[in-house]
Amino acid sequence: MNNIIQGIASFQGNVFPGQRQMYQQLVRDGQQPSALIIACADSRVSPEHITQAGPGDLFVCRTPATSCPRPPTWSAASSSAIEYAVVALGVRDIVFCGHSDCGAMKGLMNRDLLKRMPSVASWLRHAEAAERIVCEAYPEGRDAQARHHALALENVVVQLANLRTHPSVAAALAKGSLRLHGWFFEIETGALLAYDGANGRFRPIAGADMPVAQDSSTGSRLQAA
Ligand code: ZN
């Protein structure tokens, strides 16, 4: 804990005094984050750090494997975070951020790793569709690293599909007030890929070019009469 204790002292002694007004304004005006980011709980994947966001910029929900349950197994924690972000805060964007070298994805590929972690194993059921896709629809013969990479990418797409079943998300998409994004952070290179829902591919986020997984113009729903 020493590094954490030192960090707190540094924040209170060196950082907060220079940011006091900003924090007080965030209390006075309330938070207005522009996006909800759902990311893996992995300590190397910090949404605030990789987007260089500050206090008040992002509403963040972190779960192992960046998973989003769907009915009837909604997790109260992640479901309420999504609902609060969409309904109370009115975020315009939700981002799912998967990453390389994900321990949860390794557990999905090798269930022996999960034998002593029944809670993790149960949670990873929400990512099982991604595993089935890689096992049954990808060519055999790929090495473990390539399959792990494919699984992590497929998991982002599967979780986006789960997210669309959330009532508050479905309604906001139908109103055109919300966009969905699927990101993949490559820890070792710092690269950030985004899922382009129009052509079903991940591509790098470059400058102002931000691929979108789904907005009001994509996806399937009844057109208004
Ligand atoms: Zn992870």
Side-chain angles (χ1 to χ4, degrees), residues 42 44-46 50 97-102 145 148-150 152-153 156 183-194 202-205:
D42 191 300
R44 302 162 296 178
V45 183
S46 166
I50 63 179
C97 186
H99 68 96
S100 62
D101 198 42
C102 181
Q145 193 170 0
H148 175 259
H149 181 74
L153 294 179
V156 171
W183 291 0
F184 179 82
F185 176 56
E186 197 171 79
I187 297 173
E188 55 273 36
T189 65
L192 204 52
L193 308 178
F202 280 87
R203 56 187 173 88
I205 297 173

Side-chain angles (χ1 to χ4, degrees), residues 18-33:
Q19 298 181 336
R20 185 184 306 276
Q21 284 192 341
M22 175 196 69
Y23 275 103
Q24 289 179 344
Q25 186 170 358
L26 283 170
V27 172
R28 211 166 38 243
D29 299 343
Q31 62 168 327
Q32 295 176 309

Side-chain angles (χ1 to χ4, degrees), residues 123-146:
W123 179 253
L124 288 180
R125 283 186 295 113
H126 304 301
E128 208 166 275
E131 185 216 7
R132 292 285 294 276
I133 290 169
V134 172
C135 283
E136 297 185 21
Y138 277 62
E140 292 183 12
R142 291 182 164 208
D143 63 27
Q145 193 170 0

Side-chain angles (χ1 to χ4, degrees), residues 19 60 77 88 108 129 140 146 179 213:
Q19 298 181 336
V60 176
L108 260 182
E140 292 183 12
R179 299 184 302 178

